[in-house]
Amino acid sequence: MTDPESPAAAPCAGALRRAAPALLGYAAVRALGLVVLALWSAANGGSAHRLLSERWDSLWYTRVAGLGYGYEVRLPNGDVHANLAFFPLLPWLERIVHALTPLSYADAGLLVAAVASLAAAWGIFAVADHVHGRRAGVCAALVWAVLPVGVVQSMAYSESLFTALAAWSLYAVLTGRWVTGGLLAVFAGLTRPVGIAVAAALWVAAITSFVGERRNGGSTPRTDGARPWRRALAMIIAPLGAAGYVLWVGHRTGRGPLGYLDVQAGWRNGFDGGYAFGRFVAEKFTSFPSAPAGAALAAGVALILWLYVTCVRQGQPPALLVYTGIVVALALGASSYFGSKPRLLMPAFPLLFPLAVALARLRPARSALVLGGVAVASAVYGAFWLNGSGPP
């Protein structure tokens, strides 16, 4: 057993103490959201447990965990919804937890999401702490917790798992732990298609590091983690998760390297650069009842773009800017599932850093008051949302 005072344990214990305010605050926000959801669902005669673990995409993940790939639904209009659209890491973890515990696949998914959400909050804190300081790190984790669709972080979905892997991969890259960052990028690529954003961020960071060394004539001292072979190995392995699954789907379907795109087309999901979403928003302005919704959507997109520009102005590292840019582009440029865009944007956590920096500059009591009020509003909205249309 490792001695808690040993050199190996001390850094981890110190990192946990440093992140404790962020993790405790995050857990409190999520607990508030779950309590409000349970009360709202009970008042509606429903089940919060079912909403979190047995509806929408969570059902597809549990089917993969229990039955493997090959399940599909053929709709009357000819569309084919195949479970090959869902990346494998979450159902793999559900299967492992189910095998080791008495939990069902659905409850295993909830446990994975709960652990992953805490890991994600810690990773977000670590990245923001590294870039902007501890207070901004705490605020960043809490702002992520109080997002209007933050309740998804507690669902048996893959958003929390992916965000945790992405955040820690980016942190590893920013601190020169190239192989660790590459391995985490592999797992992120096995979680969601947007895992390519993590691999791209690592590549940009590695190239930037290499160019910096060349400009300095190789005179910059290197740590062990910055040895060229480690950086090269990380670049090689980072895309293997996403690429491996996409190629396997192509082989499984017999449609070659583009087979995964055909699977997504069966769900009427693709990438058109935002053309369909733009039309969707524009059509909202054709009638008065829907015009306020259109204005809100346009304002939301403008806010996202403004936050990204602010991230650039605040000097975020290129790896974070590339990662965030790809996540935002894929989310806003998807040609369908317009109601899902808020949760698809959830992994773009560096967008929240300008807000976190602004909150960190306030007096602690004032920032706590702001975050507390938003947390209550987020909890109420999350309960309303899941008991209504909810996410597809």
Side-chain angles (χ1 to χ4, degrees):
M1 184 177 294
T2 304
D3 182 353
E5 299 302 323
S6 68
C12 183
L16 181 58
R17 284 195 298 270
R18 186 172 180 83
L23 297 179
L24 291 173
Y26 177 82
V29 172
R30 290 275 33 88
L32 173 65
L34 292 177
V35 168
V36 173
L37 176 64
L39 294 175
W40 192 300
S41 302
N44 281 351
S47 166
H49 177 267
R50 181 169 178 267
L51 290 172
L52 293 171
S53 64
E54 299 179 16
R55 290 194 69 187
W56 304 298
D57 290 5
S58 57
L59 286 175
W60 288 90
Y61 283 118
T62 56
R63 287 193 184 106
V64 174
L67 304 174
Y69 286 105
Y71 177 83
E72 62 183 30
V73 174
R74 295 184 176 272
L75 303 182
N77 65 356
D79 291 344
V80 178
H81 288 185
N83 65 1
L84 288 168
F86 295 88
F87 276 49
L89 186 58
L90 176 57
W92 284 349
L93 293 175
E94 289 177 340
R95 183 177 297 180
I96 291 171
V97 173
H98 172 72
L100 297 178
T101 69
L103 296 176
S104 66
Y105 291 118
D107 288 337
L110 287 181
L111 178 59
V112 171
V115 174
S117 66
L118 282 170
W122 191 354
I124 292 169
F125 164 82
V127 175
D129 181 19
H130 178 78
V131 177
H132 295 295
R134 187 185 186 192
R135 287 195 63 187
V138 173
C139 291
L142 294 179
V143 172
W144 192 67
V146 302
L147 289 174
V149 293
V151 68
V152 173
Q153 297 161 19
S154 299
M155 296 179 68
Y157 270 43
S158 61
E159 273 77 10
S160 290
L161 178 61
F162 175 78
T163 304
L165 292 166
W168 282 109
S169 177
L170 291 168
Y171 178 74
V173 167
L174 292 175
T175 54
R177 298 170 175 87
W178 293 103
V179 176
T180 299
L183 289 172
L184 290 170
V186 172
F187 289 117
L190 289 169
T191 307
R192 296 185 64 82
V194 75
I196 60 173
V198 185
L202 185 147
W203 271 66
V204 167
I207 293 171
T208 302
S209 174
F210 173 77
V211 170
E213 289 176 3
R214 292 295 298 269
R215 285 178 177 173
N216 291 328
S219 61
T220 304
R222 291 196 188 108
T223 64
D224 249 8
R227 288 178 178 172
W229 72 265
R230 291 177 180 269
R231 189 170 51 203
L233 178 60
M235 294 178 71
I236 292 170
I237 65 176
L240 294 183
Y245 182 69
V246 167
L247 292 174
W248 179 80
V249 170
H251 174 74
R252 174 74 178 257
T253 59
R255 298 171 187 171
L258 300 181
Y260 183 76
L261 297 180
D262 293 335
V263 170
Q264 286 284 11
W267 288 79
R268 291 189 179 272
N269 196 18
F271 182 84
D272 62 4
Y275 174 74
F277 182 51
R279 286 188 58 184
F280 174 77
V281 174
E283 287 170 0
K284 294 290 184 181
F285 290 96
T286 59
S287 62
F288 175 76
S290 63
L297 288 171
V301 173
L303 174 62
I304 290 167
L305 297 178
W306 176 80
L307 286 172
Y308 188 78
V309 171
T310 306
C311 290
V312 175
R313 290 177 175 173
Q314 289 183 345
Q316 282 191 16
L320 295 186
L321 295 175
V322 168
Y323 167 78
T324 305
I326 293 176
V327 173
V328 170
L330 291 178
L332 296 183
S335 59
S336 63
Y337 296 106
F338 305 124
S340 297
K341 292 189 184 296
R343 71 174 179 88
L344 296 179
L345 287 164
M346 191 179 298
F349 63 88
L351 281 178
L352 306 176
F353 289 1
L355 301 177
V357 169
L359 285 168
R361 290 172 178 163
L362 300 177
R363 293 179 179 178
R366 184 169 296 181
S367 60
L369 182 63
V370 171
L371 287 167
V374 178
V376 172
S378 173
V380 172
Y381 178 77
F384 166 77
W385 185 51
L386 283 195
N387 279 276
S389 61

